[in-house]
Amino acid sequence: RYLGGQQGRRVEVMMERETLGRTPHFAEVEIAGGAFAPGSVVTAEVTGVRDERLLARQIGSTQAVAMQPRPVLQQMVAQ
């Protein structure tokens, strides 16, 4: 029910694999026609639902996300 209501919406998707990622609400999304780097954020439009997964197409730019170590981890490594 939630997934069906997402059709036509614009979503930000954090990519986990080349064509598969998750929305901020943890819905799984398959983006057609792309090969995106894991960790990148893709702006997409939801086009449908299949097997408990949102289907989407890219509509915006891809952003690389720089991962920074947490301060606690930095302190542990420094010791």
Side-chain angles (χ1 to χ4, degrees):
R1 191 168 171 168
Y2 170 79
L3 296 178
Q6 299 304 300
Q7 190 157 344
R9 290 186 184 234
R10 181 182 185 144
V11 293
E12 298 294 318
V13 181
M14 172 71 82
M15 301 307 296
E16 296 176 344
R17 297 187 210 144
E18 289 185 351
T19 60
L20 193 64
R22 293 193 184 268
T23 69
H25 297 286
F26 302 102
E28 197 170 52
V29 182
E30 183 177 333
I31 300 180
F36 305 99
S40 61
V41 177
V42 177
T43 302
E45 179 182 7
V46 177
T47 59
V49 178
R50 181 178 61 219
D51 300 327
E52 300 298 315
R53 179 182 290 169
L54 295 173
L55 304 176
R57 65 180 181 88
Q58 181 182 9
I59 59 171
S61 60
T62 303
Q63 304 168 23
V65 176
M67 301 298 285
Q68 298 295 324
R70 300 179 109 177
V72 172
L73 180 59
Q74 289 175 330
Q75 290 172 2
M76 290 173 61
V77 172
Q79 294 178 354

